[in-house]
Amino acid sequence: MVNTKDNDINQEVLDLINDIHYGGVKRTHNIVVATILVLKNIISNEKWTTAKNLINIIRTNGKYLVEAIPLEFCIGNMVRRILQIIREEYIELKNNTEETDTQESLHKILTAEGDQKVDFNISIPSLKSVIIEHINEFEVELETCAENITQQASEHIHSNEIIMTIGKSTLVEEFFKKAAATRAFEVIVAEGGPSLTGHDMAVNLSKAKIKTTLISDVAIFAMMSRVNKVIIGTHSVMANGGLRAISGSHTVAQAAKHYSVPVMVLLPLYKLSPLYLYSHEQDGFNNHVSPLQGVIDGANVSLLERIHVYNPVFDYVPPELVTLFISNTGGNAPSYIYRLLSELYHPDDYEL
Amino acid sequence: MATKMGKKEIIQAVVLADDFVMNLMPAETIFPTILMPVINVPLLDYLVETLIKSRVQELFLYCSNHVDLIRAYIKQKKWLHISVSLIVSDACTSLGDALRDIDTKGSIRGNFILIRGDAFINANLTNLLIKHCTKLKEDKGAAMTMVLRNIGSMNGSSLRQESCLVVSDKSSRKILHYNVLRKDLNKVKLELDWFLNHNEIEINTCFLDSHVYLCSPSVLPLFSDNFDFQTMEDFIRGVLMNEEILNSRIYWQQLDPQDYSLPIVSWNAYHCLNRDILNRHTFPLTPNAIPFLKDFIYMPRSTYKHRSATLAKGCILEKDSILCQNSTLENNTLVVKTVIGDHCLVGSNVTIKNSYIFSDNKIEDNCTIINSVIFSNCFIKQNTRIDGCILCPKTIIYTPMEYTDSIIESKDDKISTKTISEIDPYNEFHLFKDYDILENDNNVHTNTDTSSIDEASECNLPAADDISMFLSEVIDSLLRGFQDQLKCENLILEINSSRYAYNVTMDEVTYNVIKAILSLPLHYLSEEKETITSIDYLRNLKHVITYFYPIILNYVKTENAQNDCLHAIEEVASTTPELLSCLQVLLHMFYDKDVLSEEKILEWYKSNDKQTDSYEKNKVRVAVQPFIKWLEEAEEDSSESEND
């Protein structure tokens, strides 16, 4: 349901919100693709003359979208990414017309005097086609993103290693399957209560002929001593390199720290968000679902009346517990996240 | 599936805006049940959300009262994914009338979902309807499927009054009997036919009717044909009674364990629903998960604060509370289990517990509001105390005083109060009165205790009879055993068998056996036709006790049993003067024979001490005083000697 007062919001944005809210679009990757598509349509269909104009349109729609679905950080990431593309293309076109040195060099970056104000008010007719082209490239990048990550599997998983993971992540599953094509290794799957998505994961892996052991979450610490590596997926990554991942991930990461087992996180770059966790009460950080979904039996009303039960979906894993992020551009340490961020997004867009 | 019209199957739902019962007095006079605010948002919004999620495309909203309000509300909301059409009728006074009316309109084409106006549900209704349709394929006469939620035992819960009895065939889930268990109902009659005609039947009291019914097209004609069907209960009863003639059957299905539903059938249920929403049991119909309840900051212990709400210094949102848009709490205000709506101003040092403050209210400093409902646009002057009241909209309280158990309304600057117990002599109208008792666990125990005592005094009178019967049986056995010199083991067997026959608990057995033994000399003497003096009594008592020593030992083993034994002694001693005089001899005897321990006797004596108001017990205390003194001295001696 959408309030009708929002007249300047594109109809496609409203439809997307409804689709995501009522479960028409699921999984982060699909949401990302759908968001990009909607934003691209806005760029090609809405009336705008200057880059500034366009940035404002994207920003209002994007902000509305992010506020309507605060839990999906990737939507905000995509809006920022599109804004960055617009800026980049505009500056390039402008510089081309002004015939200045377009070569980016380290020296130039160092000597640049602060953030020089770029005037976005000049209308450049070819801007639209260039932006659309760039976005198309970006869409291709999104498509190949998962593949780029799984291709690195053989670099990280070696023969006869024991790897632990938690819950179900399609990317991690593909990663294991890719590695299993060339070598034999063993996977321990923590079931990831209370949603128990690890069960599906274990079934899928064993179907792919990977030696799989399913353990309950309480056994994570006990099993960790024999594990060589932890490889997990994540829902999103905060600006400091902290993870917002399925609840139970923190336990795994802590146990891994205790036994000095490296923790690797598969990170498609669209999950990298320029936001920080400042408080666990922060709205839109965690999703608290019904405790009846696996934590406590609903057929015990006299108990439920007297107690509080919590069922958060996500854990926050601090960056110091993560050893390596495996992104589509290669492996990066958490301390390098800031650099990735500055490449992907413009600082002006961190706050939409 | 529902209907096969055109290219797409359209699932239809009928929502009755009113439930035609006055359980939520006086809310019905202010707005229809469907617009009752639950956490600040009308119930309708939650329902529509569930319907859209379930991909229901067509909703018929049947309204008879407050039509303008509903019409205005529907106009203001514009739902995109569902077409909402209003069916208006002024003359309708019951659910039966409404359905008959819908039948004549002819807009329902296939299987449909019928939802009563007080329902709250978060399950996928289409899945439920599909199950109903498969049932319909098996049995052409399946008229309706009830949706029941298993909530476990309702004892000790505030939903006690809503429990119902469901008897059904186990394999097919066909309902054989359904009725709501009234509070005063202590017996349930089970028909023999149920057991004879079915292989397995299921009898349940743990289900709660969700007020959502999955109906075949045959339901509407059934209502039209039978003019005496007024309520849903009538319909169910009627169909079950005339199953063969009407060729209709009612089935039930259970909600998935993670799904939630609770109809607002009383203020108590309303209270539960609000609490469960705040506890997120109703997810996804919870704050921050639905578009009309967003921008809340979720804090520990299920407290929420809207981003635009303000808490001043020293405010405490203790638990299960929510503070909605633009509301303000001043310094040191305490809020417990309370919903505060939009644009409310609450002064400083105010205490609000278990209450519902709807929108646009103003409460001044130092007020106390407990167990109350305050409708919108009220004004409460400082230092007012409100307990268990309902304030109608636009009530203005200028005189600071204490109000309890009333419905308060202000007309032309005058306040009129009606006491709730006067309006509702049968006490069917509960304004979370019981809930208050559930506040903490200690109280819960007292609550359950009193209810069990109530039961004992009201309905279980036969149980009390059982105990006295058991006592006389035991006396008979013992008397016979004493006269015929029977073996004690055999007597124990005899007592145990009568214990099972009269269904007596172990504590009561001990209590009654001791009582019987103590009163035995009296019976014996009266049988021998001798005059009863305390000397005779004592002589006989000594005989009896030495003879029955094994029996006494058999029953008085544990500390609890010792307590029971002492209580029995006290009871008999306070009624028979003969025993009173030789009470200390008896206690000494029990003490020597290790039946009673020293600590227990002293403990009993001290506990007895406090109840000095009772003359009888006082007597008992005086009678045993020398023995107690001796015991205490002996104890001191022994401890002294130990010290030496």
Side-chain angles (χ1 to χ4, degrees), chain A residues 309-330:
Chain A
V309 193
Y310 300 101
N311 188 5
V313 172
F314 300 120
D315 252 358
Y316 173 69
V317 182
E320 53 271 24
L321 298 181
V322 178
T323 321
L324 192 71
F325 286 107
I326 303 172
S327 74
N328 35 339
T329 55

PDB file of all heavy atoms in Angstrom, chain A residues 309-330:
ATOM      1  N   VAL A 309      10.080 -13.135  24.001  1.00  0.00           N
ATOM      2  CA  VAL A 309      10.916 -14.000  23.158  1.00  0.00           C
ATOM      3  C   VAL A 309      11.381 -13.181  21.959  1.00  0.00           C
ATOM      4  O   VAL A 309      10.595 -12.436  21.380  1.00  0.00           O
ATOM      5  CB  VAL A 309      10.122 -15.211  22.642  1.00  0.00           C
ATOM      6  CG1 VAL A 309      11.066 -16.234  22.061  1.00  0.00           C
ATOM      7  CG2 VAL A 309       9.303 -15.828  23.742  1.00  0.00           C
ATOM      8  N   TYR A 310      12.627 -13.297  21.613  1.00  0.00           N
ATOM      9  CA  TYR A 310      13.151 -12.543  20.475  1.00  0.00           C
ATOM     10  C   TYR A 310      13.595 -13.499  19.376  1.00  0.00           C
ATOM     11  O   TYR A 310      14.063 -14.596  19.660  1.00  0.00           O
ATOM     12  CB  TYR A 310      14.340 -11.685  20.901  1.00  0.00           C
ATOM     13  CG  TYR A 310      13.990 -10.688  21.960  1.00  0.00           C
ATOM     14  CD1 TYR A 310      14.310 -10.908  23.289  1.00  0.00           C
ATOM     15  CD2 TYR A 310      13.304  -9.528  21.635  1.00  0.00           C
ATOM     16  CE1 TYR A 310      13.961 -10.001  24.269  1.00  0.00           C
ATOM     17  CE2 TYR A 310      12.960  -8.613  22.602  1.00  0.00           C
ATOM     18  CZ  TYR A 310      13.295  -8.851  23.922  1.00  0.00           C
ATOM     19  OH  TYR A 310      12.957  -7.956  24.887  1.00  0.00           O
ATOM     20  N   ASN A 311      13.453 -13.069  18.157  1.00  0.00           N
ATOM     21  CA  ASN A 311      13.917 -13.879  17.038  1.00  0.00           C
ATOM     22  C   ASN A 311      14.497 -12.969  15.957  1.00  0.00           C
ATOM     23  O   ASN A 311      13.865 -12.706  14.942  1.00  0.00           O
ATOM     24  CB  ASN A 311      12.748 -14.705  16.490  1.00  0.00           C
ATOM     25  CG  ASN A 311      13.193 -15.700  15.460  1.00  0.00           C
ATOM     26  OD1 ASN A 311      14.382 -15.846  15.202  1.00  0.00           O
ATOM     27  ND2 ASN A 311      12.239 -16.387  14.858  1.00  0.00           N
ATOM     28  N   PRO A 312      15.714 -12.463  16.179  1.00  0.00           N
ATOM     29  CA  PRO A 312      16.322 -11.597  15.162  1.00  0.00           C
ATOM     30  C   PRO A 312      16.851 -12.438  14.000  1.00  0.00           C
ATOM     31  O   PRO A 312      17.294 -13.567  14.211  1.00  0.00           O
ATOM     32  CB  PRO A 312      17.471 -10.917  15.897  1.00  0.00           C
ATOM     33  CG  PRO A 312      17.805 -11.830  17.010  1.00  0.00           C
ATOM     34  CD  PRO A 312      16.601 -12.635  17.329  1.00  0.00           C
ATOM     35  N   VAL A 313      16.792 -11.878  12.805  1.00  0.00           N
ATOM     36  CA  VAL A 313      17.246 -12.623  11.633  1.00  0.00           C
ATOM     37  C   VAL A 313      18.750 -12.468  11.449  1.00  0.00           C
ATOM     38  O   VAL A 313      19.430 -13.382  11.008  1.00  0.00           O
ATOM     39  CB  VAL A 313      16.488 -12.134  10.387  1.00  0.00           C
ATOM     40  CG1 VAL A 313      17.070 -12.733   9.123  1.00  0.00           C
ATOM     41  CG2 VAL A 313      15.029 -12.491  10.496  1.00  0.00           C
ATOM     42  N   PHE A 314      19.277 -11.299  11.820  1.00  0.00           N
ATOM     43  CA  PHE A 314      20.682 -11.025  11.510  1.00  0.00           C
ATOM     44  C   PHE A 314      21.558 -10.922  12.751  1.00  0.00           C
ATOM     45  O   PHE A 314      21.096 -10.606  13.835  1.00  0.00           O
ATOM     46  CB  PHE A 314      20.800  -9.712  10.725  1.00  0.00           C
ATOM     47  CG  PHE A 314      20.068  -9.727   9.428  1.00  0.00           C
ATOM     48  CD1 PHE A 314      19.054  -8.813   9.181  1.00  0.00           C
ATOM     49  CD2 PHE A 314      20.364 -10.652   8.453  1.00  0.00           C
ATOM     50  CE1 PHE A 314      18.368  -8.819   7.982  1.00  0.00           C
ATOM     51  CE2 PHE A 314      19.684 -10.673   7.253  1.00  0.00           C
ATOM     52  CZ  PHE A 314      18.680  -9.757   7.020  1.00  0.00           C
ATOM     53  N   ASP A 315      22.822 -11.182  12.518  1.00  0.00           N
ATOM     54  CA  ASP A 315      23.869 -10.954  13.499  1.00  0.00           C
ATOM     55  C   ASP A 315      24.768  -9.861  12.946  1.00  0.00           C
ATOM     56  O   ASP A 315      24.914  -9.748  11.729  1.00  0.00           O
ATOM     57  CB  ASP A 315      24.725 -12.218  13.618  1.00  0.00           C
ATOM     58  CG  ASP A 315      24.497 -12.948  14.916  1.00  0.00           C
ATOM     59  OD1 ASP A 315      23.704 -12.444  15.722  1.00  0.00           O
ATOM     60  OD2 ASP A 315      25.094 -14.011  15.105  1.00  0.00           O
ATOM     61  N   TYR A 316      25.378  -9.119  13.826  1.00  0.00           N
ATOM     62  CA  TYR A 316      26.428  -8.212  13.378  1.00  0.00           C
ATOM     63  C   TYR A 316      27.763  -8.850  13.715  1.00  0.00           C
ATOM     64  O   TYR A 316      28.008  -9.210  14.859  1.00  0.00           O
ATOM     65  CB  TYR A 316      26.301  -6.847  14.066  1.00  0.00           C
ATOM     66  CG  TYR A 316      27.455  -5.928  13.762  1.00  0.00           C
ATOM     67  CD1 TYR A 316      27.611  -5.405  12.489  1.00  0.00           C
ATOM     68  CD2 TYR A 316      28.390  -5.612  14.726  1.00  0.00           C
ATOM     69  CE1 TYR A 316      28.683  -4.571  12.190  1.00  0.00           C
ATOM     70  CE2 TYR A 316      29.460  -4.778  14.448  1.00  0.00           C
ATOM     71  CZ  TYR A 316      29.600  -4.260  13.169  1.00  0.00           C
ATOM     72  OH  TYR A 316      30.654  -3.444  12.875  1.00  0.00           O
ATOM     73  N   VAL A 317      28.618  -9.022  12.730  1.00  0.00           N
ATOM     74  CA  VAL A 317      29.935  -9.595  12.966  1.00  0.00           C
ATOM     75  C   VAL A 317      30.942  -8.471  12.805  1.00  0.00           C
ATOM     76  O   VAL A 317      31.049  -7.889  11.722  1.00  0.00           O
ATOM     77  CB  VAL A 317      30.241 -10.721  11.959  1.00  0.00           C
ATOM     78  CG1 VAL A 317      31.599 -11.335  12.257  1.00  0.00           C
ATOM     79  CG2 VAL A 317      29.163 -11.772  11.988  1.00  0.00           C
ATOM     80  N   PRO A 318      31.671  -8.117  13.858  1.00  0.00           N
ATOM     81  CA  PRO A 318      32.610  -7.004  13.754  1.00  0.00           C
ATOM     82  C   PRO A 318      33.740  -7.329  12.786  1.00  0.00           C
ATOM     83  O   PRO A 318      34.113  -8.504  12.626  1.00  0.00           O
ATOM     84  CB  PRO A 318      33.130  -6.832  15.182  1.00  0.00           C
ATOM     85  CG  PRO A 318      32.753  -8.059  15.900  1.00  0.00           C
ATOM     86  CD  PRO A 318      31.591  -8.658  15.210  1.00  0.00           C
ATOM     87  N   PRO A 319      34.328  -6.322  12.151  1.00  0.00           N
ATOM     88  CA  PRO A 319      35.306  -6.559  11.084  1.00  0.00           C
ATOM     89  C   PRO A 319      36.551  -7.300  11.565  1.00  0.00           C
ATOM     90  O   PRO A 319      37.188  -7.999  10.785  1.00  0.00           O
ATOM     91  CB  PRO A 319      35.640  -5.154  10.589  1.00  0.00           C
ATOM     92  CG  PRO A 319      35.145  -4.224  11.615  1.00  0.00           C
ATOM     93  CD  PRO A 319      34.017  -4.899  12.295  1.00  0.00           C
ATOM     94  N   GLU A 320      36.890  -7.163  12.863  1.00  0.00           N
ATOM     95  CA  GLU A 320      38.137  -7.795  13.303  1.00  0.00           C
ATOM     96  C   GLU A 320      38.031  -9.321  13.293  1.00  0.00           C
ATOM     97  O   GLU A 320      39.027 -10.009  13.398  1.00  0.00           O
ATOM     98  CB  GLU A 320      38.575  -7.273  14.677  1.00  0.00           C
ATOM     99  CG  GLU A 320      37.554  -7.327  15.785  1.00  0.00           C
ATOM    100  CD  GLU A 320      36.686  -6.074  15.872  1.00  0.00           C
ATOM    101  OE1 GLU A 320      36.551  -5.387  14.828  1.00  0.00           O
ATOM    102  OE2 GLU A 320      36.134  -5.806  16.938  1.00  0.00           O
ATOM    103  N   LEU A 321      36.817  -9.863  13.177  1.00  0.00           N
ATOM    104  CA  LEU A 321      36.665 -11.316  13.131  1.00  0.00           C
ATOM    105  C   LEU A 321      36.731 -11.852  11.698  1.00  0.00           C
ATOM    106  O   LEU A 321      36.694 -13.047  11.486  1.00  0.00           O
ATOM    107  CB  LEU A 321      35.341 -11.729  13.778  1.00  0.00           C
ATOM    108  CG  LEU A 321      35.175 -11.378  15.258  1.00  0.00           C
ATOM    109  CD1 LEU A 321      33.834 -11.855  15.772  1.00  0.00           C
ATOM    110  CD2 LEU A 321      36.289 -11.986  16.083  1.00  0.00           C
ATOM    111  N   VAL A 322      36.770 -10.948  10.716  1.00  0.00           N
ATOM    112  CA  VAL A 322      36.789 -11.392   9.324  1.00  0.00           C
ATOM    113  C   VAL A 322      38.216 -11.338   8.807  1.00  0.00           C
ATOM    114  O   VAL A 322      38.935 -10.364   9.010  1.00  0.00           O
ATOM    115  CB  VAL A 322      35.891 -10.483   8.460  1.00  0.00           C
ATOM    116  CG1 VAL A 322      35.941 -10.911   7.006  1.00  0.00           C
ATOM    117  CG2 VAL A 322      34.467 -10.510   8.977  1.00  0.00           C
ATOM    118  N   THR A 323      38.642 -12.422   8.148  1.00  0.00           N
ATOM    119  CA  THR A 323      39.993 -12.444   7.618  1.00  0.00           C
ATOM    120  C   THR A 323      40.035 -11.869   6.213  1.00  0.00           C
ATOM    121  O   THR A 323      40.901 -11.069   5.884  1.00  0.00           O
ATOM    122  CB  THR A 323      40.526 -13.883   7.577  1.00  0.00           C
ATOM    123  OG1 THR A 323      40.086 -14.550   8.740  1.00  0.00           O
ATOM    124  CG2 THR A 323      42.021 -13.911   7.493  1.00  0.00           C
ATOM    125  N   LEU A 324      39.100 -12.308   5.375  1.00  0.00           N
ATOM    126  CA  LEU A 324      39.195 -11.933   3.973  1.00  0.00           C
ATOM    127  C   LEU A 324      37.807 -11.829   3.343  1.00  0.00           C
ATOM    128  O   LEU A 324      36.942 -12.661   3.601  1.00  0.00           O
ATOM    129  CB  LEU A 324      40.015 -13.002   3.224  1.00  0.00           C
ATOM    130  CG  LEU A 324      40.458 -12.643   1.818  1.00  0.00           C
ATOM    131  CD1 LEU A 324      41.534 -11.585   1.862  1.00  0.00           C
ATOM    132  CD2 LEU A 324      40.948 -13.887   1.095  1.00  0.00           C
ATOM    133  N   PHE A 325      37.638 -10.808   2.524  1.00  0.00           N
ATOM    134  CA  PHE A 325      36.434 -10.723   1.705  1.00  0.00           C
ATOM    135  C   PHE A 325      36.783 -11.192   0.300  1.00  0.00           C
ATOM    136  O   PHE A 325      37.768 -10.715  -0.279  1.00  0.00           O
ATOM    137  CB  PHE A 325      35.935  -9.282   1.615  1.00  0.00           C
ATOM    138  CG  PHE A 325      35.280  -8.807   2.879  1.00  0.00           C
ATOM    139  CD1 PHE A 325      35.926  -7.900   3.712  1.00  0.00           C
ATOM    140  CD2 PHE A 325      34.024  -9.265   3.227  1.00  0.00           C
ATOM    141  CE1 PHE A 325      35.328  -7.467   4.870  1.00  0.00           C
ATOM    142  CE2 PHE A 325      33.417  -8.825   4.396  1.00  0.00           C
ATOM    143  CZ  PHE A 325      34.075  -7.929   5.216  1.00  0.00           C
ATOM    144  N   ILE A 326      36.014 -12.123  -0.221  1.00  0.00           N
ATOM    145  CA  ILE A 326      36.255 -12.547  -1.593  1.00  0.00           C
ATOM    146  C   ILE A 326      35.208 -11.864  -2.468  1.00  0.00           C
ATOM    147  O   ILE A 326      34.046 -12.253  -2.469  1.00  0.00           O
ATOM    148  CB  ILE A 326      36.158 -14.075  -1.724  1.00  0.00           C
ATOM    149  CG1 ILE A 326      37.146 -14.725  -0.756  1.00  0.00           C
ATOM    150  CG2 ILE A 326      36.428 -14.517  -3.151  1.00  0.00           C
ATOM    151  CD1 ILE A 326      37.004 -16.210  -0.649  1.00  0.00           C
ATOM    152  N   SER A 327      35.582 -10.801  -3.141  1.00  0.00           N
ATOM    153  CA  SER A 327      34.624 -10.074  -3.965  1.00  0.00           C
ATOM    154  C   SER A 327      34.860 -10.441  -5.427  1.00  0.00           C
ATOM    155  O   SER A 327      35.802 -11.160  -5.744  1.00  0.00           O
ATOM    156  CB  SER A 327      34.785  -8.576  -3.765  1.00  0.00           C
ATOM    157  OG  SER A 327      35.942  -8.140  -4.407  1.00  0.00           O
ATOM    158  N   ASN A 328      34.017  -9.913  -6.302  1.00  0.00           N
ATOM    159  CA  ASN A 328      34.161 -10.273  -7.710  1.00  0.00           C
ATOM    160  C   ASN A 328      35.418  -9.685  -8.331  1.00  0.00           C
ATOM    161  O   ASN A 328      35.819 -10.086  -9.418  1.00  0.00           O
ATOM    162  CB  ASN A 328      32.917  -9.904  -8.525  1.00  0.00           C
ATOM    163  CG  ASN A 328      32.269  -8.638  -8.031  1.00  0.00           C
ATOM    164  OD1 ASN A 328      32.480  -8.240  -6.889  1.00  0.00           O
ATOM    165  ND2 ASN A 328      31.497  -7.987  -8.877  1.00  0.00           N
ATOM    166  N   THR A 329      36.053  -8.754  -7.608  1.00  0.00           N
ATOM    167  CA  THR A 329      37.302  -8.208  -8.158  1.00  0.00           C
ATOM    168  C   THR A 329      38.525  -8.824  -7.504  1.00  0.00           C
ATOM    169  O   THR A 329      39.649  -8.445  -7.825  1.00  0.00           O
ATOM    170  CB  THR A 329      37.341  -6.681  -7.965  1.00  0.00           C
ATOM    171  OG1 THR A 329      37.159  -6.405  -6.582  1.00  0.00           O
ATOM    172  CG2 THR A 329      36.274  -6.000  -8.783  1.00  0.00           C
ATOM    173  N   GLY A 330      38.333  -9.762  -6.581  1.00  0.00           N
ATOM    174  CA  GLY A 330      39.474 -10.400  -5.940  1.00  0.00           C
ATOM    175  C   GLY A 330      39.335 -10.402  -4.429  1.00  0.00           C
ATOM    176  O   GLY A 330      38.311  -9.984  -3.894  1.00  0.00           O
TER     177      GLY A 330
END
